[in-house]
Amino acid sequence: MTRPPAGQAAFDWSHRGATAGVDEAGRGPLAGPVVAAAVILDPARPVDGLADSKALTARRRETLAVEIKARSLAWGLGWADAAEVDAVNVLQATFLAMRRALLALGAVPAHVIVDGNRCPSLDGLRLDCTIEAVVGGDVTVPSVSAASILAKCARDEFMCTLDARYPGYGFASHKGYPTAAHIAALRRLGPSPVHRRSFAPVQSCGAP
C-alpha cells in the first residue's frame, strides 16, 4: 500500500533540548490508516495561526502544513495501516504510528508531548527523552497543534489516492469516516482491502 511520506531519514543530534509535539489523525474512520506526526518547532521561525486541525478549514490546514514543514527544526510522519489496526486494535495502532513518527523525526528531542491521556512506549527507539500526555494538547501546545495539522493533511491526501484506487466508496469526500454515504457504499459494495474489518459497521456489511 502506498503510504504518506516520512520526514527526515537520519538522526540529527543538534537540536537536543527541544520539545517534540505528537498527534494523530484517523482513529475513528472505518477505512484507511492511522497517521501520526511529530514536530519540533523553531522558536526563531514561529508559525502563526496554529490550532487543532479539526478547527481549521482544509485550505488553511494545507497552507499551514507547508509553513510547518518549511519552518520547523524537524518533522516526521508515521502510520499504521488498516491491517495493523485490525491486528492490534486502534489504540495500539495509534501508538505504533506515533513511534514511527518519532523515528521519522530525524532529531532527538529532550521531551515529547503527546495529545491525549496516554503515551506510546519509547522502548527500543534510541530516544533518551521524557514523554508526557496532555489532554487538549492540540489546542494548548503549539508543537502538538502543528503535529495535528501535518497528520490530518497527510491522511486526507492519502485517502484521496485511495478514492481513485477503490472507486465507489467516496473516500475523497468522507476520508473513511462512517457517514451515511459511506455506510450505504459499504452495504452496496462490501468492504474494500483498506477497510478495517475489526470495526463493527464493516463487519455488519459483510460481502456485497
Side-chain angles (χ1 to χ4, degrees):
M1 179 188 297
T2 303
R3 289 170 167 170
Q8 302 165 347
F11 278 111
D12 179 355
W13 296 87
S14 63
H15 304 312
R16 187 72 179 145
T19 295
V22 176
D23 200 4
E24 54 74 30
R27 287 183 63 175
L30 305 180
V34 176
V35 178
V39 177
I40 298 176
L41 293 175
D42 186 350
R45 304 182 70 195
V47 179
D48 294 330
L50 293 176
D52 175 12
S53 62
K54 297 184 289 296
L56 301 169
T57 65
R59 179 173 295 183
R60 182 60 178 151
R61 282 196 300 268
E62 291 164 3
T63 299
L64 284 170
V66 172
E67 294 184 22
I68 292 164
K69 291 176 181 178
R71 298 185 184 185
S72 62
L73 294 174
W75 62 273
L77 294 171
W79 58 89
D81 62 25
E84 290 173 316
V85 172
D86 289 338
V88 299
N89 76 47
V90 71
L91 175 62
Q92 295 305 317
T94 298
F95 290 160
L96 182 60
M98 288 179 173
R99 285 168 56 88
R100 289 169 175 170
L102 286 167
L103 285 176
L105 184 61
V108 180
H111 188 58
V112 175
I113 299 176
V114 179
D115 181 55
N117 59 7
R118 298 180 67 178
C119 297
S121 170
L122 298 181
D123 290 349
L125 296 188
R126 299 186 294 120
L127 298 178
D128 180 18
C129 62
T130 54
I131 187 169
E132 68 173 315
V134 175
V135 176
D138 52 0
V139 176
T140 61
V141 181
S143 60
V144 179
S145 299
S148 76
I149 291 167
L150 291 193
K152 174 67 173 167
C153 286
R155 189 180 189 281
D156 284 358
E157 180 180 359
F158 182 65
M159 293 307 295
C160 289
T161 69
L162 292 185
D163 184 74
R165 189 175 304 173
Y166 303 106
Y169 293 98
F171 290 143
S173 60
H174 54 65
K175 306 302 188 294
Y177 283 88
T179 64
H182 189 184
I183 297 298
L186 262 174
R187 289 172 177 163
R188 184 175 69 254
L189 301 172
S192 75
V194 294
H195 275 94
R196 301 173 182 177
R197 283 165 168 73
S198 57
F199 280 37
V202 178
Q203 292 177 349
S204 67
C205 289

